[in-house]
Amino acid sequence: MKTIQPYTPREIMTIMAAREIKNGDIVFSGTGISMLAAMAAKNINAPDSVIFFETGAIDSLLEELPFAVADPRIMYWAAANSRLTDAFATMQNPITGEKVIAILGAAQIDRYGNLNTTCIGDYHSPEIRFSGSGGGCDVASFVPRCIAFMQHEKRKFVKKLDYLTSPGQLEGNNSRQKAGLRPGGVSVVVTNLGVMRFDKDTGKMYLDKFYPSITPEKILKNTEFDMDISRATLADPPTKTELTILREECDPQRLILD
Amino acid sequence: MKTIQPYTPREIMTIMAAREIKNGDIVFSGTGISMLAAMAAKNINAPDSVIFFETGAIDSLLEELPFAVADPRIMYWAAANSRLTDAFATMQNPITGEKVIAILGAAQIDRYGNLNTTCIGDYHSPEIRFSGSGGGCDVASFVPRCIAFMQHEKRKFVKKLDYLTSPGQLEGNNSRQKAGLRPGGVSVVVTNLGVMRFDKDTGKMYLDKFYPSITPEKILKNTEFDMDISRATLADPPTKTELTILREECDPQRLILD
Amino acid sequence: MKNSLNKVIPLKQAIEQYVKNSSHISIGGFTINRNPMAAVYEIIRQKICDLHLYAHSNGTGLDELIGAGCISKLEIAYGGNGKAAPTCIHFARAAQNNEILFEDYSNYMMSLRFTAGAMGVPFLPTLSGFGSDILTKWGFSKSMRRSDPKIVDNKLAVIDNPFGDWAGASKVVLVPAINPDVTIIHVQKADATGTCSIQGLAFADIEQVKASKHVIITCEHLVTKEELRQNPDLNQIPFIHVSAVCHVPLGAYPTAVFGHYDYDSQYLRKFAIAAKNPDKFKKYQNKYIYGAKDHDAFLDIIGQERIDTITADPRTGYSVNMKRD
Amino acid sequence: MKNSLNKVIPLKQAIEQYVKNSSHISIGGFTINRNPMAAVYEIIRQKICDLHLYAHSNGTGLDELIGAGCISKLEIAYGGNGKAAPTCIHFARAAQNNEILFEDYSNYMMSLRFTAGAMGVPFLPTLSGFGSDILTKWGFSKSMRRSDPKIVDNKLAVIDNPFGDWAGASKVVLVPAINPDVTIIHVQKADATGTCSIQGLAFADIEQVKASKHVIITCEHLVTKEELRQNPDLNQIPFIHVSAVCHVPLGAYPTAVFGHYDYDSQYLRKFAIAAKNPDKFKKYQNKYIYGAKDHDAFLDIIGQERIDTITADPRTGYSVNMKRD
């Protein structure tokens, strides 16, 4: 039996996210690691999940990894090629939207799972300008479950966002609903250190899992806000099967894994 | 030179309507005589006009006359086959809508060019129920020019509609605009007796043309409301060329002309 | 289950499973084209009643359902059926005799209402209908609306344009979303998971499907996934919207299916004539609907000769020079 | 003139005729796909300035226009360009240095705004964005809006659902219509009258076209009317919306055109690297944009070898196993 290489941070993140995806889910995917997580889920634990893109392609074959959500690779062998408006309607419509799980990235996240992908500093005259919402605000508004992929750093896990691009639990408690939103937004945060979820009542982030060799304390140190770590348990590391499928079937050229 | 058969009431109506269509117009057409008028215009005086249907087909070839706006004959060789929503948006959008001229029929018309295609008697418990608006209300709301085709009878040219399905000038003066509508609605009424238009200021119907062998008085007798006949002149009858093209090119089988 | 599993079931079972007494339904097609007639006849055979039908201009299917007494409430834009019946016979009679509750909209309003349902928003705006009785005359009373959670409290709403006179509009009509319990459409091609390709005009079928909680597809051709994936641009409905797929060749007969067969104007006229007389209509139903155990048996009664007559010419998609009554 | 006449003119003339200083414009495509790059480069060559650009995610085209100083006002959802530039370099710099006025929306909001423009309504509703800074932070001030009749007075509006909690919504966000002066898109096929067939994803191109007062089409293939009429189901844009048609093979290069060519990741990376340094960028522009009198001359500089590398495989529509930087 071949021995298996230890997993990298990217690999454990990908596997942790993939485990969130259930059979039958419609996976709203971006590119990069989020695409890889969607493909890993499809190959490992959710063969009947469906990848779809805000640009309008659904269930594309993906013989090659796309590098953008407008990559021509997503237009090949799709169930349907439609338009932006159709893709977002699929999520806004609760009949289909309730089955969607989205994978999002962000520059900043706060304790309520609100995301900033717009800027650091003042909006009108930013220190650093990012790409902006794209479909992020829409998805976070519409769908019941979102996975946020983040590097776990203090400047990213902040007390106050410089700009609230995509709504999570807003200010917690039932403020999301009061604002006019359906239940939803970021429901799980997967980082290079652990997995965070949100308290059903308060809407506050808590530590659910920490990775092998990572301590809850280290995670707290990399988080600007207070976070409940009392419920945290050690994450089950990626299994040999998971790693093998991820490496050999999802990204054999290590286009994203490296 | 062949002598030409005298024209029938249907033929003069068709030609009078066709003359309203200008080159470059987009002609919203139903079936029957309205379709024939559109085809006559295209063959006689407006070769660059475009026939289109509320069902979503535009510039169809029409090798055979369609018998319904959902006839498969309109789907062949069209510039585009789209949907109901697209067709109505083309008219609601003023950029394209301003070039649309519509041809409509009705069970009743009033002096302001409002149309009833819904019912005679009480709405909830009608004496006679008709098909209803279809796209009529939409078209009359959106486009600047509509031709109404009517049989000229007192019970059809009424003081008060039993149901106002498609808005014309509403109650005249600037009531159409006040209600929230763009300028438009029925701008000309073509009947078996003559051609009526609407006063720019009052919005009231007046007699513009009466056909050879028809008198303005006869038209008044067939109209329940008062109508200004002071501006009326004798209509130029269909020319030999118009009749020949209509008969030989537009409806050689006399599917609609008879 | 609206995922990528095999959803093929017999039509009889699909109707039993999804269309119940009092269901709110919509059907695809337009007047004499692509009505899901096999499904309509199966609903009639199963004697499903008290249906609430959302229709824009679903001529033939609409009038068969009303004629069979399946419909108690109707939201409608147009009840006509081409040359055979400029006003649908049963529809007119039922309205005149207060046999159904009905409420009138325009075709664009009904299309927008399905679109709003498909988009997951409560309403969409239009500039259609100001000053018309469509805005003022409600078919369903306020008290009836308030007592039925499945019917929206207001037929429509008029609001001032919150953006001043942006786009040249001072006011806007808002029409409320429709989300039927079930929509049934007939398409040229579907695969077992429910991905569909409609050829020719789509009418409002796509919006009706996406607005619905359950969707039954009947199809001329049940094709492989591979066939449909070769041209995703032609697939208007991805499988995620579909509950059941039923393979029913000639499933829109006597209405037309572009590229496959024309409408049977002779049958439509026969239906219209029968509809005018209760006895004749009972005989018509006993022969063609109740007298056939399913659509195949119905087509046997129609006979191959009629089918040959309406079969589409491959170049034009309709039956060239067909005698049309 | 948007009728059925021949509208074919050279791209240079189309840009001169329809894109003026201070025009409000939009361009088709999405990040690295089907941007009308030949038209973008021609706008830059003609030194048209003070443009108001409506963008959802028009990556490459957007950033070249900003880099060349053509844009003064920008309404935008996303300024990224795939792997080469997760945030567009010029866009970020221009925002950070207050070189442009910008206002943020989401991709759905921008798509809906074009759709509203295409439909001729002043706004469309969505349930997106409640609680976000997209609703509260306006890039254009109230006074600037009020002084410019081409800019809507309110960025957005929030209203209570006039239909109670119909469709589960208590409130609704309304986003105002966009009607650009000019939209430019690049398509696979067009005929001389402007009817277009887009292969693969349409993004928001169709809505952008229909919302616009003038429309310039650039196309890979200028085909006969007869070719397009053979399959009207594949023609998303009928000629009535189009002002000018320009035959520009490889007109989206360096972005991709499904079925024809892939994005040139090497070029995109070169552009991104150059964009980070003003001197390098000037050299880049002098060589590739100002150094070429038109798109053909630009492609000559690129060379046939790069074109061969990105040429699409006929089975998949992209360049299989292409080295992507």
Side-chain angles (χ1 to χ4, degrees), chain A:
Chain A
M1 212 173 91
K2 247 175 48 179
T3 56
I4 193 154
Q5 286 289 319
Y7 55 82
T8 66
R10 290 214 126 190
E11 286 174 337
I12 192 172
M13 285 176 77
T14 307
I15 294 300
M16 289 296 149
R19 288 179 185 170
E20 299 292 320
I21 296 167
K22 295 184 303 211
N23 220 5
D25 278 356
I26 301 170
V27 186
F28 174 94
S29 176
T31 45
I33 188 169
S34 78
M35 166 69 49
L36 202 57
M39 291 180 76
K42 215 171 154 60
N43 281 287
I44 298 168
N45 54 297
D48 195 35
S49 60
V50 175
I51 298 179
F52 107 115
F53 299 93
E54 67 180 89
T55 41
I58 185 155
D59 205 32
S60 322
L61 187 59
L62 304 179
E63 284 186 350
E64 291 187 16
L65 275 168
F67 276 7
V69 297
D71 195 306
R73 282 151 192 79
I74 73 162
M75 303 180 193
Y76 173 62
W77 213 254
N81 279 334
S82 63
R83 318 179 186 177
L84 297 191
T85 47
D86 291 320
F88 288 110
T90 297
M91 295 186 282
Q92 190 173 224
N93 180 340
I95 300 166
T96 35
E98 70 170 12
K99 282 175 269 172
V100 177
I101 180 165
I103 313 180
L104 303 170
Q108 293 181 326
I109 189 169
D110 69 13
R111 76 184 318 157
Y112 295 111
N114 305 301
L115 302 178
N116 173 12
T117 57
T118 303
C119 63
I120 299 295
D122 176 58
Y123 171 64
H124 298 91
S125 186
E127 284 162 49
I128 309 173
R129 172 69 210 207
F130 302 116
S131 55
S133 162
C137 171
D138 308 310
V139 174
S141 297
F142 300 151
V143 312
R145 293 176 298 146
C146 299
I147 303 168
F149 262 127
M150 306 277 298
Q151 286 298 310
H152 214 134
E153 300 169 26
K154 215 166 192 158
R155 64 188 182 113
K156 289 176 180 259
F157 280 68
V158 296
K159 284 188 181 162
K160 187 159 173 35
L161 301 178
D162 288 29
Y163 186 99
L164 197 167
T165 314
S166 303
Q169 303 314 312
L170 295 181
E171 293 158 19
N173 298 312
N174 67 341
S175 60
R176 182 179 166 97
Q177 199 193 328
K178 262 194 192 159
L181 293 163
R182 297 203 191 110
V186 174
S187 49
V188 56
V189 187
V190 175
T191 75
N192 51 320
L193 302 180
V195 174
M196 275 60 58
R197 296 183 193 277
F198 297 86
D199 185 88
K200 259 208 289 203
D201 296 323
T202 64
K204 284 183 189 165
M205 195 187 293
Y206 68 88
L207 183 63
D208 182 42
K209 302 277 178 196
F210 51 93
Y211 298 158
S213 87
I214 307 292
T215 61
E217 291 69 28
K218 176 165 180 188
I219 291 174
L220 276 187
K221 234 188 231 166
N222 283 280
T223 305
E224 197 186 69
F225 49 82
D226 286 337
M227 181 163 62
D228 174 16
I229 58 169
S230 69
R231 291 174 252 187
T233 58
L234 183 67
D236 290 333
T239 65
K240 218 158 112 178
T241 309
E242 287 172 325
L243 282 174
T244 307
I245 294 174
L246 177 64
R247 289 168 182 176
E248 293 176 11
E249 293 178 33
C250 301
D251 188 11
Q253 300 172 271
R254 298 192 75 81
L255 291 172
I256 294 168
L257 285 174
D258 283 346

Side-chain angles (χ1 to χ4, degrees), chain C:
Chain C
M1 202 61 134
K2 297 198 180 183
N3 51 21
S4 57
L5 301 177
N6 186 329
K7 294 163 192 161
V8 179
I9 55 173
L11 177 59
K12 184 168 184 288
Q13 184 189 334
I15 299 297
E16 277 169 5
Q17 196 166 334
Y18 294 106
V19 186
K20 312 285 184 188
N21 291 342
S22 309
S23 282
H24 287 220
I25 73 165
S26 86
I27 59 175
F30 195 101
T31 59
I32 56 168
N33 202 310
R34 231 168 22 68
N35 281 226
M37 293 308 299
V40 163
Y41 290 134
E42 183 58 31
I43 289 172
I44 295 171
R45 266 183 228 110
Q46 293 190 16
K47 298 192 159 62
I48 298 167
C49 64
D50 196 31
L51 293 174
H52 185 127
L53 181 69
Y54 301 103
H56 44 88
S57 299
N58 312 98
T60 311
L62 163 89
D63 217 37
E64 286 279 21
L65 287 171
I66 294 177
C70 301
I71 308 292
S72 66
K73 294 194 290 308
L74 177 62
E75 304 187 34
I76 188 169
Y78 185 79
N81 204 27
K83 215 185 167 194
T87 300
C88 290
I89 316 290
H90 293 298
F91 163 65
R93 195 209 57 240
Q96 288 158 201
N97 298 350
N98 294 312
E99 291 163 20
I100 52 170
L101 269 182
F102 57 91
E103 182 159 273
D104 276 77
Y105 295 84
S106 70
N107 263 340
Y108 190 40
M109 289 176 188
M110 287 305 289
S111 308
L112 284 176
R113 296 183 65 199
F114 288 119
T115 307
M119 288 170 67
V121 289
F123 60 82
L124 280 174
T126 173
L127 307 181
S128 177
F130 292 111
S132 77
D133 282 335
I134 291 176
L135 265 61
T136 52
K137 298 204 170 159
W138 296 16
F140 306 156
S141 69
K142 288 216 177 191
S143 63
M144 182 259 210
R145 290 172 179 281
R146 239 171 288 134
S147 68
D148 187 341
K150 286 175 81 172
I151 299 177
V152 62
D153 281 358
N154 295 295
K155 185 187 180 191
L156 320 109
V158 175
I159 64 164
D160 287 338
N161 181 354
F163 298 96
D165 63 351
W166 191 242
S170 57
K171 299 177 198 179
V172 185
V173 176
L174 307 179
V175 292
I178 293 172
N179 288 108
D181 296 320
V182 199
T183 285
I184 312 170
I185 67 165
H186 184 76
V187 304
Q188 281 90 344
K189 287 184 191 176
D191 71 15
T193 68
T195 297
C196 300
S197 177
I198 297 172
Q199 189 188 347
L201 294 171
F203 307 123
D205 284 28
I206 301 163
E207 293 80 5
Q208 289 174 251
V209 160
K210 294 186 176 178
S212 273
K213 292 170 198 117
H214 303 288
V215 171
I216 301 172
I217 302 292
T218 65
C219 59
E220 286 301 317
H221 300 292
L222 183 63
V223 300
T224 60
K225 176 175 161 178
E226 287 66 33
E227 180 173 339
L228 289 185
R229 299 288 167 129
Q230 276 165 32
N231 202 338
D233 300 6
L234 287 174
N235 305 336
Q236 302 92 340
I237 300 169
F239 57 87
I240 58 167
H241 303 282
V242 174
S243 316
V245 177
C246 309
H247 184 207
V248 190
L250 288 155
Y253 178 90
T255 68
V257 172
F258 185 61
H260 290 71
Y261 45 92
D262 221 312
Y263 46 89
D264 186 348
S265 55
Q266 194 177 300
Y267 188 96
L268 293 174
R269 200 165 59 134
K270 184 167 56 190
F271 167 57
I273 290 167
K276 283 172 189 158
N277 177 303
D279 286 342
K280 264 196 191 149
F281 192 66
K282 204 163 275 177
K283 275 184 205 145
Y284 161 85
Q285 284 185 313
N286 284 336
K287 176 170 176 190
Y288 291 102
I289 307 178
Y290 300 121
K293 75 172 202 307
D294 59 18
H295 204 63
D296 278 349
F298 167 70
L299 294 171
D300 285 344
I301 303 171
I302 300 303
Q304 192 58 41
E305 198 186 325
R306 284 308 302 158
I307 305 300
D308 290 345
T309 303
I310 62 168
T311 297
D313 156 62
R315 181 180 64 94
T316 57
Y318 56 85
S319 175
V320 172
N321 288 327
M322 176 179 79
K323 188 171 173 294
R324 288 181 284 163
D325 295 294

